[in-house]
Amino acid sequence: MITVIIAEDHQALIDGMKSFLKNERDIQIIGHANDGFSLIENARKLKPKVIITDIRMPKCDGILATKTIKAELPDTKIIAFSMFDHDDAISQMKEAGASGYIMKNSSLQTVLDAIRAVSQGYSYFVNEAENEYEVSKNELFFSSREKEILQLIAEGKSSQEIAEILFIEKSTVDSHRKNMSKKIKTIGKNDLTKFALERKYDYL
């Protein structure tokens, strides 16, 4: 289970993320904070696997909070959450120990991908200017569901067949395919199938 604390001074954003993430079986929101000091206190008490924190918060900003938490809880992964795509802010959060940086106008799916990525040891930094993201490690990050779908694509299954096998909607399969295509930066219609075939045995 990926335990998460969200730190944000706008309660509506916290409520929106909590509502979106509550149905994810591998993620549990165990706390939230509206300022940096409360975040540090909650992190010490609850020891989450992942923290999503705003950079600009009352009492103590996200950069100082990240430094403090990483010094005490080095295994906790921290994702910066900001309205601003400033290289200086990103570099400061990296130096403080953050594993990711996402924009407040990012999709909730991006938030979900970032949580899963950093929990597995990846870094996840969104670039608003290019509307792209960078996932850093030795290989691309795919969620467990995406790995299942990739394997079935490699076996020649259609989206409808995959949906029936996994007991999900075909539209959900199509959405996953679209997200995976973005991750591997495909161009042609059959590029994802080619990629799946090349990686057929990687996700068994």
Side-chain angles (χ1 to χ4, degrees):
M1 181 66 68
I2 305 170
T3 52
V4 179
I5 288 178
I6 303 169
E8 163 61 49
D9 58 348
H10 292 92
Q11 187 64 39
L13 282 174
I14 293 177
D15 292 342
M17 282 195 281
K18 288 172 70 174
S19 178
F20 177 75
L21 296 170
K22 68 181 180 181
N23 294 320
E24 300 299 323
R25 295 180 181 178
D26 59 332
I27 294 174
Q28 180 183 9
I29 307 298
I30 59 172
H32 68 270
N34 300 119
D35 64 73
F37 286 157
S38 296
L39 170 59
I40 293 169
E41 183 178 323
N42 284 345
R44 286 170 174 160
K45 180 171 62 176
L46 301 173
K47 296 179 174 56
K49 290 185 178 180
V50 176
I51 291 172
I52 301 175
T53 179
D54 193 0
I55 295 178
R56 296 182 178 179
M57 288 189 296
K59 300 182 182 180
C60 168
D61 66 29
I63 297 169
L64 180 56
T66 296
K67 287 180 180 178
T68 303
I69 292 167
K70 291 298 290 187
E72 298 182 24
L73 302 168
D75 292 335
T76 294
K77 307 300 182 182
I78 298 178
I79 301 168
F81 190 55
S82 177
M83 284 292 294
F84 306 99
D85 184 20
H86 292 163
D87 289 342
D88 185 52
I90 295 173
S91 63
Q92 287 186 62
M93 285 301 292
K94 282 183 176 180
E95 290 173 7
S99 298
Y101 188 102
I102 56 179
M103 304 298 298
K104 289 187 179 181
N105 61 2
S106 296
S107 69
L108 288 170
Q109 182 62 48
T110 296
V111 175
L112 179 59
D113 287 345
I115 291 171
R116 287 176 172 151
V118 300
S119 73
Q120 295 186 31
Y122 296 80
S123 59
Y124 195 105
F125 292 88
V126 168
N127 182 330
E128 182 196 36
E130 298 179 6
N131 194 29
E132 295 179 351
Y133 53 81
E134 170 191 355
V135 182
S136 303
K137 207 184 177 188
N138 292 331
E139 59 182 73
L140 288 165
F141 166 76
F142 293 105
S143 68
S144 57
R145 177 65 82 192
E146 287 172 339
K147 290 177 182 178
E148 288 177 327
I149 292 172
L150 270 178
Q151 185 64 33
L152 291 168
I153 289 172
E155 293 173 10
K157 305 296 185 185
S158 67
S159 291
Q160 184 60 51
E161 289 172 328
I162 292 171
E164 292 171 2
I165 291 169
L166 298 179
F167 301 102
I168 57 178
E169 297 294 327
K170 178 180 177 294
S171 60
T172 302
V173 177
D174 291 337
S175 178
H176 280 300
R177 292 183 76 126
K178 183 178 179 181
N179 288 333
M180 288 188 287
S181 293
K182 286 181 180 179
K183 289 180 182 182
I184 66 174
K185 299 181 180 179
T186 59
I187 299 174
K189 183 178 179 180
N190 297 318
D191 285 355
L192 184 60
T193 300
K194 181 180 178 182
F195 177 86
L197 287 168
E198 290 174 349
R199 305 291 291 272
K200 184 174 182 179
Y201 301 106
D202 289 5
Y203 303 122
L204 292 176

